[in-house]
Amino acid sequence: MASLGVLAGAQTVAPDVEPGRIDAERARISAERSRLEAGFLAEDAACYQKFAVNSCLGKINVRRREAMADLRRQEILLNDEERKMKGAEQIRKTEEKSSLEKQQEAADRRAKALEDYQSRLDREKKKQEDRAAAQSSEKANSEASAEKLKGHQEKVQARTGKQAAAAEEAKKYNDRQKEAQEHRAQHESDQLKRTKPPAKSLPLPE
């Protein structure tokens, strides 16, 4: 009858068995099965000392089946619990992996967005630098052209000035030559007047 007391104490298994205790519970059930079987075998041997052997053995077999069925039920509960735990662990790992992948994807997107933004800034900066360089070059070219034009104008003015001065000199020279010629002609005229032979005397009356 002591077997029944042990059976009553082994009727239930807590539904929230911890992961580390499943193997221990399974070992306990196996040990309980061995202990109960040993007790039933001893009771079987005692039955053979009685007159109604079959009736005694029948009653023991009923209790044996009930005890073993309960232990089997406990094993099934443990197996179900283990499967649930493994399934939950697999789901957790899958979700964790998915979460890590999503986090990595989000980090990659942020890095890509930052890279694109920096690239746009670099392109805009390059455009501004090129524009500034072009404007500077255009200004330098314009200044060089203006300086070249100024130099050309100064050369033209200088040449024109030289030509005007040369023309003025030529005019002065021509004027001096003309004046000299006139002076010489006047001098020669005066000379001729002074050296003119005396007029012939009138003839004497006859």
Side-chain angles (χ1 to χ4, degrees), residues 128-176:
Q128 291 178 354
E129 290 176 350
D130 291 344
R131 195 156 46 237
Q135 291 175 350
S136 177
S137 177
E138 183 179 353
K139 181 179 179 182
N141 292 335
S142 177
E143 290 177 351
S145 297
E147 190 66 25
K148 185 176 180 181
L149 179 61
K150 181 180 177 183
H152 178 69
Q153 290 175 343
E154 288 177 350
K155 288 180 180 179
V156 170
Q157 289 176 354
R159 189 162 55 246
T160 302
K162 287 180 180 180
Q163 291 174 350
E168 184 65 23
E169 276 304 312
K171 183 176 182 299
K172 289 180 179 179
Y173 176 78
N174 291 333
D175 290 343
R176 285 196 300 271

Side-chain angles (χ1 to χ4, degrees), residues 19-190:
R21 295 184 55 197
I22 288 182
D23 291 339
E25 286 294 322
R26 189 171 282 116
R28 181 192 64 75
I29 291 172
S30 178
E32 182 73 6
R33 180 180 285 110
S34 297
R35 190 184 69 77
L36 289 174
E37 185 61 34
F40 287 132
L41 288 175
E43 291 186 29
D44 287 344
C47 285
Y48 287 102
Q49 304 298 324
K50 298 180 179 180
F51 177 76
V53 176
N54 290 334
S55 176
C56 180
L57 292 175
K59 292 178 181 179
I60 293 172
N61 286 334
V62 171
R63 288 190 289 110
R64 178 187 280 115
R65 284 194 299 272
E66 291 177 353
M68 295 305 170
D70 185 68
L71 291 177
R72 179 57 184 161
R73 182 185 63 80
Q74 294 181 44
E75 283 183 332
I76 291 173
L77 290 176
L78 279 178
N79 292 338
D80 289 343
E81 184 68 21
E82 187 177 35
R83 279 194 297 272
K84 290 177 181 178
M85 287 172 53
K86 287 182 178 180
E89 179 66 12
Q90 184 62 38
I91 292 173
R92 186 190 67 78
K93 288 182 178 180
T94 301
E95 290 178 346
E96 182 177 349
K97 181 180 178 181
S98 176
S99 177
L100 290 175
E101 289 176 350
K102 289 180 179 178
Q103 290 177 7
Q104 185 61 43
E105 289 175 357
D108 292 343
R109 285 195 298 272
R110 286 194 297 270
K112 183 66 167 59
L114 182 60
E115 182 180 350
D116 292 342
Y117 176 70
Q118 187 62 45
S119 179
R120 287 196 299 274
L121 288 181
D122 292 342
R123 287 197 300 271
E124 184 61 27
K125 182 179 178 182
K126 182 68 167 56
K127 288 181 180 178
Q128 291 178 354
E129 290 176 350
D130 291 344
R131 195 156 46 237
Q135 291 175 350
S136 177
S137 177
E138 183 179 353
K139 181 179 179 182
N141 292 335
S142 177
E143 290 177 351
S145 297
E147 190 66 25
K148 185 176 180 181
L149 179 61
K150 181 180 177 183
H152 178 69
Q153 290 175 343
E154 288 177 350
K155 288 180 180 179
V156 170
Q157 289 176 354
R159 189 162 55 246
T160 302
K162 287 180 180 180
Q163 291 174 350
E168 184 65 23
E169 276 304 312
K171 183 176 182 299
K172 289 180 179 179
Y173 176 78
N174 291 333
D175 290 343
R176 285 196 300 271
Q177 288 293 101
K178 183 179 179 182
E179 184 179 350
Q181 288 177 357
E182 290 177 350
H183 182 73
R184 190 164 49 250
Q186 183 64 40
H187 178 71
E188 290 176 353
S189 177
D190 292 341

